[in-house]
Amino acid sequence: MMTSHRFAACSLLALCLLALAGVGVRAQTTVTSERPASFTLPNGMQVVVIPDRRTPVVTQMVWYKVGSADETPGKSGLAHFLEHLMFKGTTAHPAGEFSKTVQRIGGSENAFTSTDYTGYFQRVPREQLARMMEFEADRMTGLVLKDENVLPERDVVLEEYNMRTANNPEARLTEQIMAALYLNHPYGRPVIGWRAEIEKLDREDALAFYKRFYAPNNATLVIAGDVDINELRPLVERTFGQVAVQPAIPAHRMRPQEPVPAASRTVTLSDPRVEQTGLRRYYLAPSASTAAAGESPALDVLAQLMGGGSNSYLYRALVIDRPLAISAGASYQGTALDETQFIISVSPKPGVEFAAVEQAIDGVIADVERNAVRAEDLERVKTQLIAEAIYAQDNQATLARWYGAALTTGLSVDDVRNWPDRIRAVTSDQVRAVAQKWLDSKRSVTGYLVKDTTPKREEKRS
């Protein structure tokens, strides 16, 4: 979710529909020619260094293992609210100094909040890295908050909610689907929060959350770019290594988990601003962190087969073979600490009933469940996924995001590096097995986006 100078990647890298859902898949899809160096400071902070010496630029990312799913019930939006407030300064560096410094040296910065993590990053010339480390280490525990800057920032968040969710029918539908999909798990709460709860957040809430979760033993530092590990390590130890441990932080996050789904659910959102009707079906599925061996890459391949481009099964069935839709796709949100989503999205043509679209979707799923995937289709989609991983190595910030997201959701450096090998090993039988197991209607919520054509009532005049 973009703000004036930062964004919140809501609903697990996904506030905004399927565009972000794909990020979860890509978040595990890269190898590098040189293995990233990794070490842990005595205060518990994990450090990952990704060499990229093509240009004298570095990307620093600090990832905290806390997101919206870790909030106290009744205070939704708190993780994202604190992300905004982290730019309000410390005793050593008053509000605005950090951002002005980044701008002055020709760098860029941003921040993001998701269900499982919150992150802050800067992309700067190599010689400015030490200064960025000092700033980030300082605000890890030195944040100063006052009502005069907390309350106006809450108004900024509320306006962001209005702009990104309240005034966006598709975002509102996603919000409602997630709330219906998760009966017990906090993933059902929107990352930005429920409006009525955002309105009540205050300075004390933010400070308590900050002191509870922001500490080196709950953080991962990822440095990508033109750096040498032997020169970098002493610098990390002098800055982040001096930050005190927060002993109350547990080694593992414990959250309420979902009961076994017993019934399919439907959600209909009617809004006069809808210009294109839509159908989305979310299935509760295992993430890369919770799946049995081989299941997560098989779900990646299944999503690509069913909805990855114009040769995918859903696109051919609904757009090419029958004139039912103008678009159709699927995605699997693999990077999550707990159970995640497999998503199907269709934009029907004008006049086409949802029942006809659902019949076609069910037909595609049934075919995958009954029949072996054709060898040429399987090889094509695996090649596509692996190629994307290879091409993406050109972007050091993307590499840093992938490693950071993996490490904060229970995966390892090797899990990231070995992802293409696991994709390459997926078999037709594995694809069919995960479709049969996880694309069960009882595990699904189907959302319908429709235009509200109800005439507005005129107010009576006295």
Side-chain angles (χ1 to χ4, degrees), residues 375-393:
E376 57 267 34
D377 289 343
L378 189 62
E379 288 308 306
R380 171 174 52 81
V381 300
K382 290 198 288 186
T383 299
Q384 289 170 347
L385 290 172
I386 294 169
E388 288 180 14
I390 295 171
Y391 297 149
Q393 293 177 67

Side-chain angles (χ1 to χ4, degrees), residues 364-375:
V364 169
I365 294 173
D367 185 61
V368 173
E369 291 176 344
R370 284 195 301 260
N371 304 308
V373 178
R374 292 186 301 174

Side-chain angles (χ1 to χ4, degrees), residues 234-281:
L235 179 60
V236 174
E237 291 171 344
R238 287 197 306 270
T239 52
F240 292 101
Q242 303 307 307
V243 184
V245 171
Q246 166 53 277
I249 295 175
H252 302 286
R253 285 181 274 185
M254 301 297 293
R255 296 164 170 171
Q257 296 299 305
E258 281 299 291
V260 176
S264 61
R265 284 144 279 166
T266 61
V267 171
T268 300
L269 183 74
S270 179
D271 192 298
R273 295 165 295 186
V274 171
E275 297 180 358
Q276 170 63 57
T277 60
L279 182 150
R280 295 207 204 103
R281 186 182 293 172

Side-chain angles (χ1 to χ4, degrees), residues 278-312:
L279 182 150
R280 295 207 204 103
R281 186 182 293 172
Y282 281 47
Y283 291 91
L284 192 66
S287 68
S289 301
T290 65
E295 282 192 331
S296 182
L299 285 164
D300 280 325
V301 172
L302 175 62
Q304 188 74 5
L305 276 168
M306 289 184 60
S310 59
N311 286 322
S312 67

Side-chain angles (χ1 to χ4, degrees), residues 162-233:
N162 289 337
M163 182 172 58
R164 300 293 176 182
T165 303
N167 295 325
N168 184 332
E170 292 188 337
R172 290 179 63 211
L173 178 64
T174 298
E175 177 187 81
Q176 297 300 309
I177 291 174
M178 290 291 286
L181 185 67
Y182 291 97
L183 301 176
N184 193 48
H185 193 283
Y187 282 169
R189 296 195 300 256
V191 172
I192 197 168
W194 300 112
R195 182 182 181 87
E197 294 182 353
I198 299 171
E199 292 174 339
K200 297 177 183 178
L201 297 177
D202 58 23
R203 173 180 174 274
E204 287 70 27
D205 292 328
L207 278 177
F209 195 75
Y210 173 69
K211 292 176 181 178
R212 180 182 174 190
F213 290 110
Y214 278 54
N217 52 313
N218 202 39
T220 300
L221 172 66
V222 181
I223 302 291
D226 189 13
V227 291
D228 180 87
I229 181 62
N230 295 321
E231 297 176 0
L232 183 65
R233 185 162 187 161

Side-chain angles (χ1 to χ4, degrees), residues 98-112:
F98 193 169
S99 295
K100 289 177 182 176
T101 301
V102 173
Q103 292 176 355
R104 188 166 57 248
I105 63 177
S108 60
E109 64 168 346
N110 220 320
F112 48 89

